[in-house]
Amino acid sequence: MIKVGIIGSTGYAGAEIVRLIQQHKEAEVIWFGSRSYVQQKYADIFRNMFQIVDAECLDDNMEELSDAVDVIFTATPQGLCSSLVNERILEKVRIIDLSADFRIKDVNIYEKWYGIHHQSPQFIEEAVYGLCEINRDKIKNARLVANPGCFPTCSFLSIYPMVKEGMIDVNSIIIDAKSGTSGAGRGAKVDNLFCEVNENCKAYGVAAHRHTPEIEEQLSYAAKEPVMINFTPHLIPMQRGILATSYATLKKPVSYSQVKAIYDKYYEKEYFVRVLENSCPPETRWVEGSNFVDVSFKIDERTGRIIMMGAMDNLVKGAAGQAVQNMNIMFGLPEKEGLQQVPMFP
């Protein structure tokens, strides 16, 4: 049985890891880390865990935690994991970090976009970007995995086949994405109050969202050339879900069957990426509560462009589910283990 420790177990992503591990046959959470709720019963904070989790929250002492578990999930704000990790810890335990601390390989870009000083840049090069469908072989032996961001996961998986096959002008890519409010975390913020969010839709982080360099870096690897995009996220009045709609100019005319064959080439054997038929637009309601990403596309012959679409649950495949999928790969388990929840509807 894999012993799991979670730092940040009382945030939305951390709580989702707890939920998923409860349904995992090969893992158990033995450390519910939470700086805000030390010595409080976890089930008193999240009543859905009543009579399921009988444990108190502990602190975020990574040194002590590394002696007690096999893998640590850090579901924390940017900067915390990089301030705690060191070589002694990595020699004893494997870490899956859900923050952005180790996603971007250029520390100067990280510090510019996130506005904080990186405290352990010596581990950036070693860290593996944990997009399971792309970096599976690298993840297997990693000590430190940088779990991808929610917007980058949905956007990248929607676009990747066309970029990889050189079918689009990569510098024409525009990504328009919508997210539910849980993507902003559990902290109290005026902008996330019910009265602020309900009956409203707004763009935010316009031309400045910090997931932009992460998306650009991963697309650049796929394209084997530098990629620069326009990325605009929007907040919509729902709890879970991301819908990403991306636009790009085709390099040559293509048919539906040609593009569908390209998507199938990359995703036919990927259980968690579902390529929809007949240009059916993805919907967040059909992936809610699951680790699935639904992707689709529509060719616009009039403009010579292609619209690439993706939908997923930002807390599952966009955070906790992908983190558990990474853990399964790292420990040689079936990737589906603990992640076979059927999407919830309604």
Side-chain angles (χ1 to χ4, degrees):
M1 188 70 72
I2 299 168
K3 295 179 180 178
V4 173
I6 305 171
I7 295 178
S9 67
T10 54
Y12 289 142
E16 194 75 346
I17 295 172
V18 173
R19 181 180 76 89
L20 295 173
I21 295 293
Q22 298 310 307
Q23 302 162 85
H24 199 292
K25 297 177 182 177
E26 305 291 339
E28 60 177 341
V29 181
I30 67 169
W31 186 293
F32 297 82
S34 176
R35 183 178 294 177
S36 302
Y37 297 97
V38 175
Q39 295 184 334
Q40 293 188 42
K41 291 193 68 173
Y42 192 80
D44 286 345
I45 303 162
F46 294 106
R47 297 295 292 177
N48 60 322
M49 292 297 163
F50 179 61
Q51 295 187 350
I52 297 174
V53 172
D54 184 22
E56 292 184 351
C57 291
L58 303 173
D59 59 22
D60 57 5
N61 187 329
M62 189 180 280
E63 290 278 2
E64 182 181 350
L65 175 55
S66 66
D67 289 322
V69 300
D70 302 304
V71 61
I72 298 173
F73 294 94
T74 50
T76 56
Q78 276 63 239
L80 184 63
C81 183
S82 63
S83 73
L84 299 176
V85 69
N86 57 49
E87 182 61 32
R88 292 190 309 277
I89 289 171
L90 288 173
E91 288 175 352
K92 294 184 290 185
V93 71
R94 304 172 94 168
I95 295 175
I96 300 171
D97 178 30
L98 278 73
S99 81
D101 285 0
F102 299 98
R103 294 176 190 160
I104 298 170
K105 292 302 182 185
D106 188 329
V107 67
N108 294 318
I109 292 177
Y110 169 87
E111 292 181 346
K112 175 184 176 182
W113 284 81
Y114 284 86
I116 57 177
H117 175 67
H118 200 295
Q119 298 189 58
S120 53
Q122 68 271 26
F123 298 118
I124 292 177
E125 188 60 37
E126 174 186 350
V128 174
Y129 189 72
L131 193 56
C132 304
E133 288 75 15
I134 309 302
N135 292 328
R136 185 174 286 116
D137 291 340
K138 295 178 182 178
I139 294 165
K140 289 179 182 178
N141 299 313
R143 299 192 302 173
L144 175 60
V145 166
N147 209 62
C150 51
F151 281 126
T153 296
C154 195
S155 302
F156 182 82
L157 289 174
S158 305
I159 300 169
Y160 175 68
M162 298 301 285
V163 172
K164 190 70 174 175
E165 291 295 311
M167 301 297 291
I168 57 177
D169 175 0
V170 292
N171 289 309
S172 70
I173 295 172
I174 297 171
I175 302 172
D176 179 300
K178 280 86 174 172
S179 174
T181 57
S182 60
R186 195 165 178 246
K189 304 169 188 174
V190 171
D191 286 349
N192 295 341
L193 294 173
F194 178 82
C195 289
E196 305 290 330
V197 175
N198 191 44
E199 299 293 337
N200 189 37
C201 179
K202 68 175 182 179
Y204 65 98
V206 179
H209 194 277
R210 56 196 186 181
H211 280 171
T212 303
E214 182 181 340
I215 299 170
E216 290 179 341
E217 181 172 302
Q218 295 305 314
L219 288 176
S220 296
Y221 293 147
K224 297 183 179 179
E225 63 176 286
V227 175
M228 187 175 292
I229 64 169
N230 284 118
F231 170 61
T232 305
H234 299 74
L235 184 67
I236 54 178
M238 66 182 188
Q239 294 178 156
R240 292 172 177 256
I242 282 182
L243 180 69
T245 306
S246 304
Y247 308 84
T249 300
L250 289 160
K251 289 184 176 180
K252 61 181 181 180
V254 289
S255 66
Y256 169 83
S257 60
Q258 286 175 310
V259 176
K260 180 62 164 57
I262 290 172
Y263 275 84
D264 288 343
K265 172 183 174 180
Y266 288 93
Y267 296 142
E268 195 169 36
K269 296 181 180 179
E270 295 294 346
Y271 179 77
F272 291 117
V273 183
R274 305 190 299 190
V275 181
L276 304 182
E277 300 285 345
N278 301 320
S279 300
C280 176
E283 299 181 44
T284 57
R285 62 175 173 169
W286 301 131
V287 291
E288 186 173 357
S290 79
N291 201 51
F292 290 112
V293 183
D294 284 356
V295 299
S296 185
F297 62 88
K298 179 73 174 181
I299 299 166
D300 186 349
E301 296 178 356
R302 186 180 65 87
T303 62
R305 296 175 69 84
I306 185 168
I307 299 100
M308 299 157 286
M309 301 162 281
M312 70 177 198
D313 187 314
N314 60 293
L315 290 180
V316 190
K317 184 60 171 172
Q322 184 146 249
V324 172
Q325 191 179 350
N326 273 305
M327 181 191 74
N328 289 341
I329 293 171
M330 295 167 82
F331 287 88
L333 300 174
E335 285 185 40
K336 300 178 188 178
E337 181 55 50
L339 296 171
Q340 292 183 276
Q341 296 82 4
V342 175
M344 301 181 296
F345 180 80

